Short mmCIF file of all heavy atoms in Angstrom, two decimals:
data_model
loop_
_atom_site.label_atom_id
_atom_site.label_comp_id
_atom_site.label_asym_id
_atom_site.label_seq_id
_atom_site.Cartn_x
_atom_site.Cartn_y
_atom_site.Cartn_z
N ARG A 9 38.86 51.49 38.48
CA ARG A 9 39.93 50.47 38.14
C ARG A 9 41.12 50.54 39.00
O ARG A 9 42.02 49.65 39.02
CB ARG A 9 40.24 50.73 36.64
CG ARG A 9 39.11 50.46 35.58
CD ARG A 9 39.53 50.91 34.33
NE ARG A 9 39.70 52.31 34.31
CZ ARG A 9 40.03 53.11 33.17
NH1 ARG A 9 40.20 52.50 32.02
NH2 ARG A 9 40.05 54.41 33.21
N PRO A 14 43.86 54.06 49.71
CA PRO A 14 44.06 55.51 49.83
C PRO A 14 45.31 55.88 50.58
O PRO A 14 45.91 56.89 50.13
CB PRO A 14 42.85 55.86 50.74
CG PRO A 14 41.86 54.83 50.46
CD PRO A 14 42.59 53.55 50.15
N GLN A 18 47.96 58.45 48.98
CA GLN A 18 48.48 59.64 49.85
C GLN A 18 49.88 59.71 49.80
O GLN A 18 50.47 60.82 49.71
CB GLN A 18 47.88 59.46 51.31
CG GLN A 18 48.20 60.59 52.13
CD GLN A 18 47.66 61.96 51.61
OE1 GLN A 18 46.51 62.06 51.04
NE2 GLN A 18 48.34 63.05 51.90
N LEU A 32 60.46 73.82 42.28
CA LEU A 32 60.13 75.25 42.28
C LEU A 32 61.31 76.05 42.81
O LEU A 32 61.57 77.30 42.39
CB LEU A 32 58.97 75.54 43.15
CG LEU A 32 57.64 75.23 42.59
CD1 LEU A 32 56.51 75.52 43.63
CD2 LEU A 32 57.32 75.95 41.34
N LYS A 67 87.81 81.92 34.83
CA LYS A 67 87.80 81.24 36.10
C LYS A 67 86.42 81.11 36.57
O LYS A 67 85.90 80.08 36.94
CB LYS A 67 88.73 81.84 37.10
CG LYS A 67 88.80 81.04 38.47
CD LYS A 67 89.77 81.75 39.37
CE LYS A 67 89.76 81.09 40.63
NZ LYS A 67 90.58 81.72 41.68
N LEU A 95 70.65 67.56 38.64
CA LEU A 95 69.82 67.34 39.79
C LEU A 95 68.30 67.57 39.39
O LEU A 95 67.47 66.90 39.70
CB LEU A 95 70.23 68.08 41.00
CG LEU A 95 69.67 67.80 42.37
CD1 LEU A 95 70.18 66.34 42.71
CD2 LEU A 95 70.13 68.69 43.41
N MET A 132 72.64 74.29 46.37
CA MET A 132 71.96 75.59 46.45
C MET A 132 72.80 76.62 47.18
O MET A 132 72.89 77.77 46.87
CB MET A 132 70.65 75.42 47.06
CG MET A 132 69.59 74.62 46.14
SD MET A 132 69.46 75.37 44.53
CE MET A 132 68.59 76.97 44.95
N GLN A 134 76.19 76.53 47.24
CA GLN A 134 77.17 77.05 46.27
C GLN A 134 76.65 78.14 45.37
O GLN A 134 77.35 79.09 45.07
CB GLN A 134 77.70 75.88 45.42
CG GLN A 134 78.61 74.84 46.15
CD GLN A 134 79.01 73.63 45.37
OE1 GLN A 134 78.73 73.64 44.06
NE2 GLN A 134 79.53 72.70 45.92
N LYS A 141 78.83 86.56 46.54
CA LYS A 141 80.14 86.88 46.53
C LYS A 141 80.90 86.91 45.26
O LYS A 141 81.53 87.89 44.83
CB LYS A 141 80.90 85.97 47.53
CG LYS A 141 80.50 86.03 48.91
CD LYS A 141 81.24 85.12 49.85
CE LYS A 141 80.60 85.17 51.28
NZ LYS A 141 81.27 84.26 52.14
N ASN A 152 86.43 97.58 36.33
CA ASN A 152 87.75 98.11 36.25
C ASN A 152 88.44 97.98 34.92
O ASN A 152 89.26 98.72 34.50
CB ASN A 152 88.63 97.37 37.33
CG ASN A 152 88.23 97.90 38.79
OD1 ASN A 152 87.63 98.91 38.96
ND2 ASN A 152 88.64 97.08 39.74
#
Side-chain angles (χ1 to χ4, degrees):
R9 297 171 291 181
Q18 183 61 32
L32 286 178
K67 184 178 177 183
L95 200 59
M132 292 306 292
Q134 288 176 9
K141 295 180 182 174
N152 291 339

